[in-house]
Amino acid sequence: MVFELLDPRIRKVLEDKDIKEPTGAQNEAIPKVLAGENVLLVAPTGIGKTEAAMLPLFHQLINTPGKGIRLLYITPLRALNRDMLKRLEEFGEALDLRVAVRHGDTAQSERQRQSKYAPDILITTPETLQVMFTGKNLRAHLANVRYVVVDEIHELANDERGAQLSVALERVVELAGEFQRVGLSATVGSHKEVANFLGGVGRTVRIIHARVAKETDISVQSPEVSDEDKDLAGTLQSDPQLIACMRRAKVLIDKHHSTLMFVNTRDTAEALAARFHIWDEEFKVGVHHGSLSKETRVEMEDDFKNERLKGLICTSSLELGIDIGSSDFAIQYNSPRQASRLVQRMGRAGHKIGRKTEGAIIASTPDEIAEGLVVTRMALAEEYEPLLVRKDPLTVLANQLVAMTVAGPVPIERAFQTLRRSYPFRDLDRKKFDIVLKQVADIGLVFINEDDYKRSSRGRKYFYDNISMIPDERTYLIRDIGTRKIVGTLDESFVISFAEPFATFITRGRSWRIVEMKDEELLVEQVKEIGSIPSWAGEDIPVPFEVAQEVGRMRDHYDKKDYRGDATAYSVLDDYLKEHREGFPMPTDRRITLEIGKRLAILNMCFGSKVNETISKMLSVLLSARLGESVAVTTDPYRVIIDLPRDVAPSTIVDTLRSINAASVESLIRMVMKNSSHMRWRFVFVAKKFGAVERDADYRNVSFARLVEAYESSPLMQEAIDKVLWEDFDVLRTVNVIKAIESGEIDISICGLSPIGKAGLSQSKELITPQRADHSILMALKKRLEEESLHMSCLNCQTQWRLKTKEAGRCIVCHKCGGQMVAALNGYNRDSIKLVRKDKPKEDEEKELKRLYKNASLVQSYGRKAMLALAGRGIGADTAARILASFTENEDEFLRDILNAEINYARTKRFWD
């Protein structure tokens, strides 16, 4: 037994923890790690990968004298760091090894302690490792490193964080000499590529793929809509099908001991949590994502582990190898898009060794059902998405050239050789290196001498502003005005477009009202109503080409025994496909269908997110040139939707698509990119990472045209285009698709608007927005707003009384003094009437007084309609417009007033709380 190879002190700890037998992964890995080999261990979640790496490294640490940081344990997430600290400290205390964690949330006192008295094992993130090169003491401690473990390595291998880490490990080699490397992952689609990333150039990495049978029960479910769901949809301002999904999730959460409910975006997490709390205040469910404050995230994790919460709605923030306690079930709301994500997420249930993994995908539409079935099959068959490491990311090259200077002048040749040892820069040529170094010098971040270069004062500021390679957007703190606690953060784009005093929004699964806006934070109070859902940057998960292709094959034919779904899911999917098949050609993996409507065309293409996006951009430019007018496109993994300036013949679109030549795809998409919205944001990001634009620069004040003019022929432009092509598009697979169209392997059929095409039009990304103006939703909405009471406040005599909107007339007057200046106030601002008699109001009180008089003048002018605008806030102008568009001539006039008031508010910002 491999445990016998370990020091008796380690065996004693294992015995105390009642660990008697090694798992298969531990059997395979422990001897190789003990032998000093570099190892990439790929194994399913919950079978002791951490111990497979750390037990032999503990053995080496306690049997080899040394001081300083001897082992670095690197993870991609702070939550994973906190979890790993608790796990490794148990061994550390028993073996007299000091374990510590260092990341962005670490207190300054703890950082100083680590600098003076280094731990034997330091758990950290790639970003914090960058900072550790800056301190004299910390660099001295890094010189003692003998072992590095990179956990969840697949999360880092194919992005800029990973490239930055890869270079950082080579910089550790410069300080400490060679060290042993161990990588851990549950889901890697390209073992050799990831092993190369771990090892760098010239080092051998042994790949251990431990195929351990772990009992897994995952199914795709699609709940039927009940009458109760239709009634509840109005109250929760959502679609009945989505409410049915929530009901199923609630049943599953109640049925199990503790459940993790995964969603794909932070706004979905917030929207679901808020609706659960409004539906049932006693329902013990929390929310967890990266834009919540550290205190909130830790509180949610602890509440879940200690069973104060039965359910936790979360994003990828809890997707990785975090031991979240006693979770016995996992729910995925709609498809997770990728097989690797499903494995990670479902693996959170039954995370302990020997426990069964149980979970469900709850799907809301036929497309989600089909995709969920495919992703589940691929995950269980371990058919993961291929992973490629991007070569020569120039933002990382610029960043690391400056980062190397924080300890003093850097020999140019040594910097070049250090970079070339890392796998992402293995083929970096000297000419490209010199051009980027000169660009960094021209920007003013470094000074170049004959054989070396050193940082400037601006370079020092740049380094600390750009420690992370994660795209950043300015954020605002959300502070609870009552407790003064930080609740979370909001992205600048949401604050600019939405936030104003008394507006409501959702975070932490609760609704909050903005009381006051400051330069860096929003003061808020909690309220019981549906608020707007914040938007956060970097949310979309792309559907891989392979997944979309299999969905296409399923549409043609599929065998239920190959997939895992419940009867309702199969019934919904079959009915959807049958309805389509009866009147229209079926879009599959080998057939594109073009649907023509009024100034609208839909190309049904099962090529996944990135290929469809690539084709849509080329098609948009070519059609615009052909028609002489702008053509707008939107995409999803199965469609390209084209908004036409006028009706055009189907042959025009087909001919334009066929005119794209496979050999010219990359040159065409590069040309298209220069003026695209993709390019605008990526170019500003690249400019920030090169130091050409300050990190905290307001996007609104950055002249894109002037930036392009200044850097058009520079490495910045080259990097921005390469970055867009890598992250947003898929040129290689697009070329293959175009070749298949050219050869006739993929055919194109023309038809009218079909069920599959219409599904793409009706599916909304916003959970808050109903897909259809169902009568039950409208009646529930009407009932709620008719009963809404406002505090009518006379500005003449200050009398106040409550009035329901349904009882308000065209003209509202004070019943006591007959005054006609009457404001309609909510409960939270009813006391502002007292400001009318105040002699010397303060500046903020003067603003409130202006709002008060504007409110009263609008009520005087519009009566009930002004009240409706105040009572109906939160429906959303887009939703209101869509509902109005579906109205018949005989529709309720009261509802028309509500919806028009909401639209008018959004357009003019003239109605004031």
Side-chain angles (χ1 to χ4, degrees):
M1 187 172 73
V2 295
F3 285 170
E4 293 174 1
L5 301 174
L6 300 173
D7 189 281
R9 290 168 286 180
I10 298 175
R11 297 204 300 271
K12 175 65 167 62
V13 178
L14 293 172
E15 186 179 319
D16 292 343
K17 293 169 72 69
D18 200 30
I19 300 174
K20 299 175 182 177
E21 297 286 336
T23 65
Q26 291 164 358
N27 265 325
E28 292 189 60
I30 287 174
K32 306 303 180 189
V33 177
L34 269 177
E37 293 187 41
N38 299 316
V39 171
L40 171 66
L41 174 58
V42 183
T45 297
I47 61 163
K49 283 194 299 296
T50 302
E51 289 74 15
M54 290 304 298
L55 291 177
L57 295 180
F58 280 135
H59 175 94
Q60 303 287 29
L61 288 170
I62 61 177
N63 286 287
T64 307
K67 59 180 181 178
I69 301 168
R70 291 186 286 158
L71 189 151
L72 283 173
Y73 195 105
I74 299 169
T75 82
L77 289 179
R78 286 176 291 188
L80 190 52
N81 279 355
R82 289 191 295 270
D83 181 73
M84 204 53 60
L85 177 64
K86 293 175 184 176
R87 293 173 66 181
L88 298 186
E89 270 184 332
E90 295 177 17
F91 282 96
E93 289 172 5
L95 301 173
D96 197 26
L97 294 172
R98 185 161 171 252
V99 184
V101 67
R102 188 183 185 100
H103 52 59
D105 291 339
T106 303
Q108 186 61 34
S109 58
E110 173 61 18
R111 295 181 192 210
Q112 292 172 347
R113 189 180 305 114
Q114 292 171 9
S115 180
K116 291 180 180 178
Y117 311 106
D120 299 287
I121 300 169
L122 184 68
I123 305 165
T124 190
T125 60
E127 290 73 27
T128 301
L129 178 56
Q130 293 290 315
V131 181
M132 291 175 66
F133 290 105
T134 63
K136 182 180 177 181
N137 289 347
L138 287 172
R139 284 200 308 276
H141 296 323
L142 286 176
N144 297 297
V145 169
R146 295 294 173 264
Y147 316 97
V148 172
V149 178
V150 184
D151 204 351
E152 306 291 356
I153 190 170
H154 62 281
E155 279 291 310
L156 296 167
N158 68 339
D159 65 13
E160 286 154 329
R161 294 182 75 203
Q164 186 189 48
L165 172 63
S166 186
V167 176
L169 293 180
E170 299 307 325
R171 292 170 64 195
V172 175
V173 171
E174 293 283 326
L175 295 172
E178 292 292 340
F179 47 81
Q180 187 177 3
R181 305 177 184 215
V182 180
L184 305 176
S185 177
T187 51
V188 170
S190 310
H191 298 169
K192 183 64 176 173
E193 184 81 348
V194 177
N196 289 337
F197 168 78
L198 174 66
V201 175
R203 303 181 188 92
T204 301
V205 176
R206 180 182 290 272
I207 299 168
I208 298 176
H209 187 195
R211 295 181 178 272
V212 182
K214 194 172 191 292
E215 194 176 356
T216 305
D217 181 10
I218 305 171
S219 66
V220 178
Q221 303 181 15
S222 179
E224 293 183 25
V225 176
S226 66
D227 290 339
E228 192 177 352
D229 295 327
K230 293 177 182 177
D231 293 339
L232 190 57
T235 304
L236 298 182
Q237 298 177 27
S238 197
D239 186 88
Q241 182 61 56
L242 303 183
I243 300 301
C245 291
M246 286 179 60
R247 188 179 300 281
R248 175 63 60 84
K250 190 171 186 296
V251 168
L252 290 171
I253 291 170
D254 286 335
K255 180 181 176 182
H256 290 89
H257 188 69
S258 57
T259 301
L260 287 170
M261 183 173 180
F262 284 97
V263 297
N264 293 335
T265 63
R266 286 169 277 185
D267 51 4
T268 303
E270 292 290 5
L272 283 171
R275 279 158 178 75
F276 275 128
H277 289 142
I278 289 173
W279 179 10
D280 181 359
E281 289 187 18
E282 300 303 313
F283 188 43
K284 305 297 184 185
V285 66
V287 65
H288 188 290
H289 60 71
S291 288
L292 295 172
S293 65
K294 172 198 171 185
E295 292 76 15
T296 298
R297 293 194 305 269
V298 172
E299 179 187 338
M300 292 293 178
E301 292 166 24
D302 289 343
D303 283 352
F304 187 76
K305 285 185 179 182
N306 295 317
E307 300 179 15
R308 291 187 288 272
L309 292 173
K310 272 189 71 70
L312 190 57
I313 302 171
C314 49
T315 60
S316 55
S317 60
L318 284 181
E319 177 182 301
L320 302 182
I322 301 160
D323 183 359
I324 201 66
S326 58
S327 175
D328 61 340
F329 198 77
I331 295 170
Q332 168 66 45
Y333 174 72
N334 279 329
S335 162
R337 313 302 180 214
Q338 300 169 355
S340 56
R341 287 187 181 272
L342 183 64
V343 169
Q344 292 285 3
R345 293 175 176 188
M346 292 296 131
R348 298 307 107 216
H351 189 59
K352 302 294 184 184
I353 295 171
R355 282 179 55 180
K356 180 179 180 180
T357 292
E358 289 187 274
I361 296 175
I362 300 178
S364 62
T365 68
D367 279 354
E368 295 285 358
I369 293 168
E371 190 175 288
L373 291 169
V374 169
V375 171
T376 301
R377 187 204 63 73
M378 294 176 75
L380 295 174
E382 295 190 28
E383 296 176 14
Y384 303 131
E385 301 77 31
L387 183 152
L388 292 174
V389 175
R390 184 184 167 205
K391 291 177 67 173
D392 297 346
L394 300 188
T395 48
V396 177
L397 175 54
N399 175 272
Q400 289 301 286
L401 284 172
V402 179
M404 290 179 188
T405 64
V406 294
V410 180
I412 294 174
E413 181 62 24
R414 193 183 80 189
F416 178 62
Q417 294 303 331
T418 300
L419 285 155
R420 292 255 306 183
R421 287 200 308 271
S422 69
Y423 187 66
F425 294 102
R426 61 196 179 277
D427 295 324
L428 177 68
D429 64 60
R430 185 58 186 259
K431 182 179 179 183
K432 184 183 290 186
F433 171 87
D434 288 338
I435 289 171
V436 173
L437 179 59
K438 183 178 184 302
Q439 181 71 72
V440 171
D442 289 345
I443 290 170
L445 305 182
V446 300
F447 298 114
I448 302 176
N449 300 316
E450 188 172 340
D451 296 320
D452 64 14
Y453 69 99
K454 60 183 180 179
R455 67 167 173 81
S456 65
S457 57
R458 184 178 174 188
R460 178 179 175 81
K461 180 180 186 303
Y462 161 88
F463 170 75
Y464 284 104
D465 281 347
N466 292 277
I467 289 166
S468 172
M469 296 307 298
I470 300 171
D472 49 33
E473 183 177 1
R474 183 183 175 191
T475 57
Y476 289 77
L477 297 176
I478 308 166
R479 188 183 298 277
D480 186 335
I481 197 168
T483 64
R484 308 303 294 181
K485 286 185 178 179
I486 299 298
V487 178
T489 62
L490 289 176
D491 280 356
E492 180 182 37
S493 57
F494 180 77
V495 173
I496 290 170
S497 61
F498 171 81
E500 60 182 1
F502 310 119
T504 57
F505 65 94
I506 294 170
T507 194
R508 202 178 175 184
R510 306 283 181 179
S511 288
W512 305 82
R513 177 182 291 120
I514 298 172
V515 178
E516 186 178 348
M517 296 178 63
K518 296 192 172 184
D519 289 342
E520 302 293 334
E521 66 181 23
L522 306 179
L523 301 181
V524 300
E525 61 182 356
Q526 195 170 319
V527 293
K528 291 184 179 180
E529 60 183 77
I530 295 287
S532 293
I533 309 168
S535 59
W536 285 283
E539 289 284 274
D540 292 341
I541 300 171
V543 174
F545 178 79
E546 295 79 8
V547 170
Q549 283 279 278
E550 186 167 338
V551 169
R553 289 193 290 275
M554 283 184 75
R555 290 175 174 179
D556 189 49
H557 173 76
Y558 76 99
D559 192 333
K560 291 183 175 67
K561 72 174 185 290
D562 295 333
Y563 299 96
R564 296 193 183 188
D566 67 6
T568 307
Y570 286 128
S571 176
V572 170
L573 180 58
D574 290 344
D575 289 347
Y576 175 65
L577 297 178
K578 181 182 177 184
E579 181 189 1
H580 183 98
R581 198 175 282 116
E582 286 174 350
F584 305 90
M586 181 65 71
T588 67
D589 60 321
R590 298 288 91 186
R591 179 187 293 126
I592 295 169
T593 64
L594 170 61
E595 303 183 6
I596 297 294
K598 187 71 173 173
R599 296 171 61 181
L600 175 76
I602 302 172
L603 281 164
N604 294 303
M605 308 192 303
C606 299
F607 303 136
S609 303
K610 291 189 175 184
V611 173
N612 281 5
E613 187 70 20
T614 309
I615 292 174
S616 76
K617 287 293 180 285
M618 293 187 294
L619 200 55
S620 172
V621 167
L622 294 174
L623 276 173
S624 295
R626 194 162 186 165
L627 299 176
E629 296 181 71
S630 295
V631 173
V633 292
T634 55
T635 66
D636 68 32
Y638 308 101
R639 300 165 192 85
V640 172
I641 300 171
I642 308 169
D643 289 317
L644 297 163
R646 61 179 185 274
D647 290 337
V648 301
S651 59
T652 301
I653 297 170
V654 174
D655 291 347
T656 304
L657 178 59
R658 290 190 182 279
S659 73
I660 300 173
N661 184 281
S664 63
V665 166
E666 182 164 353
S667 59
L668 179 56
I669 199 67
R670 282 181 178 273
M671 180 189 74
V672 168
M673 277 305 91
K674 288 200 173 182
N675 294 309
S676 73
S677 58
H678 288 268
M679 184 64 179
R680 182 180 298 272
W681 299 110
R682 288 295 192 279
F683 192 81
V684 173
F685 166 78
V686 169
K688 285 187 175 185
K689 292 306 173 188
F690 263 83
V693 174
E694 295 293 331
R695 180 195 174 196
D696 56 358
D698 191 329
Y699 279 117
R700 296 166 298 177
N701 298 328
V702 174
S703 171
F704 180 67
R706 288 179 62 186
L707 265 181
V708 170
E709 185 180 343
Y711 295 104
E712 188 158 14
S713 302
S714 73
L716 280 75
M717 178 60 76
Q718 178 189 338
E719 170 67 3
I721 293 174
D722 288 345
K723 185 175 172 63
V724 169
L725 291 179
W726 180 264
E727 294 185 1
D728 300 326
F729 300 99
D730 189 335
V731 172
L732 183 61
R733 288 193 180 88
T734 300
V735 168
N736 293 335
V737 167
I738 296 299
K739 284 180 178 178
I741 293 172
E742 290 173 341
S743 68
E745 188 181 343
I746 294 176
D747 64 36
I748 303 174
S749 299
I750 300 171
C751 60
L753 291 180
S754 73
I756 286 179
K758 289 176 182 176
L761 296 174
S762 65
Q763 287 170 16
S764 172
K765 291 183 180 179
E766 290 188 50
L767 187 68
I768 196 170
T769 307
Q771 292 177 15
R772 299 174 299 280
D774 186 279
H775 188 262
S776 61
I777 296 178
L778 296 176
M779 290 305 103
L781 179 63
K782 177 183 177 182
K783 183 179 179 182
R784 176 175 73 83
L785 293 179
E786 279 182 330
E787 297 300 320
E788 190 81 25
S789 292
L790 294 173
H791 295 268
M792 310 309 296
S793 309
C794 177
L795 270 60
N796 182 48
C797 67
Q798 286 78 60
T799 297
Q800 289 188 312
W801 70 98
R802 291 176 70 91
L803 181 66
K804 291 183 178 179
T805 55
K806 69 178 181 181
E807 297 168 355
R810 173 65 184 80
C811 183
I812 299 173
V813 298
C814 175
H815 57 82
K816 183 175 181 181
C817 73
Q820 294 186 8
M821 286 294 284
V822 178
L825 304 179
N826 295 103
Y828 58 82
N829 64 342
R830 61 175 296 192
D831 288 343
S832 61
I833 191 68
K834 297 175 183 176
L835 298 174
V836 174
R837 289 194 178 278
K838 193 163 184 178
D839 290 335
K840 294 181 180 179
K842 299 175 183 175
E843 184 179 351
D844 59 336
E845 292 174 334
E846 283 185 355
K847 290 180 181 178
E848 183 62 25
L849 264 175
K850 288 180 181 178
R851 286 196 193 97
L852 193 62
Y853 278 95
K854 184 163 276 192
N855 182 314
S857 64
L858 287 167
V859 171
Q860 184 182 37
S861 300
Y862 297 102
R864 186 180 74 163
K865 289 186 178 181
M867 291 181 64
L868 288 172
L870 298 169
R873 287 293 308 283
I875 302 167
D878 290 342
T879 307
R882 188 151 69 243
I883 294 173
L884 271 177
S886 69
F887 272 9
T888 63
E889 288 184 9
N890 300 322
E891 200 65 62
D892 192 292
E893 195 61 32
F894 185 88
L895 284 172
R896 284 188 189 278
D897 286 349
I898 294 169
L899 299 171
N900 278 312
E902 183 70 357
I903 293 168
N904 288 334
Y905 175 84
R907 284 177 181 163
T908 66
K909 299 288 185 185
R910 283 178 53 208
F911 289 98
W912 292 77
D913 287 312

